Amino acid sequence: IVACLLCAYYCQIVFFVMNPNMNEELLSLLAKHTFSSHEQTPFLTLLPGVTLVRASNGRYPRHILHRPALCLVLQGVKRTVFGEIPFDYAAGQALIVTTAMPGVSRILKADALRPYLGVIIEFDIAVVRDVFMQLSHRFPQQKTAPHAAFVIDIDAQLSRCLLRGLRLLDSPEAIPVLYAGFMQELCYWLLTGPNGADVARIVTRDTHSMGVAGALDLLREKYKEPLSLESLAKAANLSRSAFHRKFKELIGMSPLEYQKQLRLLEARQLLLSRKGTAEAIAFQVGYNSPNQFSREYSHMFGLSPRKDALLLR
């Protein structure tokens, strides 16, 4: 068995070297740190906020709360959907998320010979803000993306930066000293790149997202409470119709759908950690009716709360 596993591993390395369109060292690095006789993905690492992903086949959809992050694909294809808006990104591309949003991710292309390999790097907001403030030049007037998430191509500068950072996986003793520098460099290249104005949304509120960001803060803080569209529009200092339109354009879903998904994601975590019965958790996350909670939970996750929790465990 060991001989077969080693053979499979080295065969993958040969494939990576022969693939001229990818950074072979990055691929080899990820292959090494995700290689296991028992596939366990995602792989948590000693690098703060860095997670490695590997899959030998297309995965079922994963409903998660996406936080501000860079989601890089090194091999394969992935799709992430926020509300009604899908984003497909393949090898050499990355999805950047600039605000916390519920979304559904699914690996579209992977097989045993060429498994899906990816990296998720959550942004350190304090570092992003510090780098943004240190930039001496003003951002050029760029056409910003309408959505709070967008796909970029990884250029040579970013590729080299990512390689330097991920090499720290081979030197864990260096992580406390060098990781902060890696995150600063990553933020620098992103903020000064062609999508810099969009990346800056992580710490600024541009004219497109003005007001909506304040309503997002309110929704995340008080997602368990009943919040009307009128109260959210007032918090955003916009008319009801303008707020609804801007929110949906930026996030991909309505404000009330955003709140509902936050509630259901929190309920799923509570069920998984055995924090109470489905009925008790329904009330805990803000539902007045356990039946409505069960219907909406089943619609989002495909199973009843109890069956879904048993399967996840």
Side-chain angles (χ1 to χ4, degrees):
I1 293 174
V2 173
C4 290
L5 291 172
L6 287 173
C7 180
Y9 171 71
Y10 284 112
C11 283
Q12 289 181 64
I13 296 299
V14 169
F15 169 78
F16 299 149
V17 172
M18 291 174 63
N19 187 342
N21 299 318
M22 293 299 299
N23 186 313
E24 60 190 52
E25 191 170 352
L26 264 174
L27 277 169
S28 299
L29 191 62
L30 256 70
K32 180 174 68 173
H33 285 280
T34 60
F35 181 73
S36 171
S37 57
H38 302 287
E39 188 173 322
Q40 299 172 353
T41 190
F43 292 79
L44 303 180
T45 73
L46 294 176
L47 292 168
V50 176
T51 303
L52 309 183
V53 182
R54 178 192 184 112
S56 56
N57 50 52
R59 290 302 184 98
Y60 53 83
R62 277 192 83 218
H63 294 261
I64 61 173
L65 179 63
H66 291 74
R67 302 189 184 280
L70 180 145
C71 309
L72 169 69
V73 176
L74 289 173
Q75 189 163 264
V77 181
K78 192 173 187 179
R79 172 176 292 166
T80 298
V81 181
F82 297 105
E84 302 170 358
I85 304 176
F87 295 90
D88 288 359
Y89 42 116
Q93 295 182 310
L95 175 75
I96 293 183
V97 181
T98 60
T99 191
M101 295 186 292
V104 187
S105 290
R106 183 171 192 167
I107 293 169
L108 300 180
K109 184 177 180 181
D111 57 45
L113 179 61
R114 294 181 294 274
Y116 173 88
L117 291 171
V119 185
I120 300 169
I121 303 175
E122 287 195 26
F123 291 114
D124 184 321
I125 305 301
V127 174
V128 179
R129 183 177 292 109
D130 182 59
V131 174
F132 175 77
M133 296 298 291
Q134 288 187 61
L135 291 173
S136 58
H137 66 280
R138 286 181 170 271
F139 286 101
Q141 292 297 317
Q142 300 171 334
K143 183 180 180 182
T144 57
H147 197 273
F150 52 93
V151 174
I152 66 168
D153 294 323
I154 301 299
D155 61 19
Q157 294 280 19
L158 276 173
S159 181
R160 287 192 289 268
C161 171
L162 290 164
L163 180 57
R164 283 191 289 271
L166 294 176
R167 276 177 181 157
L168 293 174
L169 293 171
D170 290 330
S171 306
E173 70 282 356
I175 291 174
V177 178
L178 300 179
Y179 179 76
F182 159 62
M183 182 56 71
Q184 288 176 332
E185 184 187 357
L186 176 64
C187 293
Y188 176 84
W189 293 122
L190 289 171
L191 286 167
T192 58
N195 299 96
D198 294 318
V199 176
R201 282 181 181 170
I202 296 170
V203 293
T204 65
R205 298 181 177 184
D206 61 13
T207 55
H208 183 77
S209 59
M210 190 70 71
V212 173
L216 280 168
D217 294 339
L218 183 62
L219 277 164
R220 287 193 288 265
E221 180 184 350
K222 299 184 176 182
Y223 71 93
K224 299 177 184 179
E225 302 177 17
L227 295 170
S228 66
L229 191 59
E230 288 76 11
S231 64
L232 292 168
K234 185 177 179 180
N237 198 28
L238 293 168
S239 69
R240 188 175 185 272
S241 58
F243 168 70
H244 188 273
R245 174 178 52 79
K246 275 196 168 188
F247 190 99
K248 192 167 185 180
E249 185 179 45
L250 189 69
I251 305 300
M253 65 190 81
S254 71
L256 298 183
E257 179 67 20
Y258 180 91
Q259 182 185 34
K260 181 178 77 173
Q261 291 197 27
L262 288 182
R263 287 177 171 181
L264 293 173
L265 286 169
E266 176 64 15
R268 200 182 205 196
Q269 289 300 314
L270 293 171
L271 285 165
L272 182 58
S273 56
R274 305 174 191 268
K275 296 293 185 180
T277 64
E279 291 77 11
I281 288 172
F283 291 115
Q284 190 175 338
V285 299
Y287 279 88
N288 294 320
S289 165
N291 288 334
Q292 181 188 2
F293 167 72
S294 183
R295 284 196 306 272
E296 293 186 353
Y297 190 103
S298 300
H299 182 263
M300 181 166 171
F301 298 118
L303 291 170
S304 68
R306 187 181 67 84
K307 289 182 179 179
D308 185 49
L310 288 172
L311 180 63
L312 287 170
R313 289 171 193 159

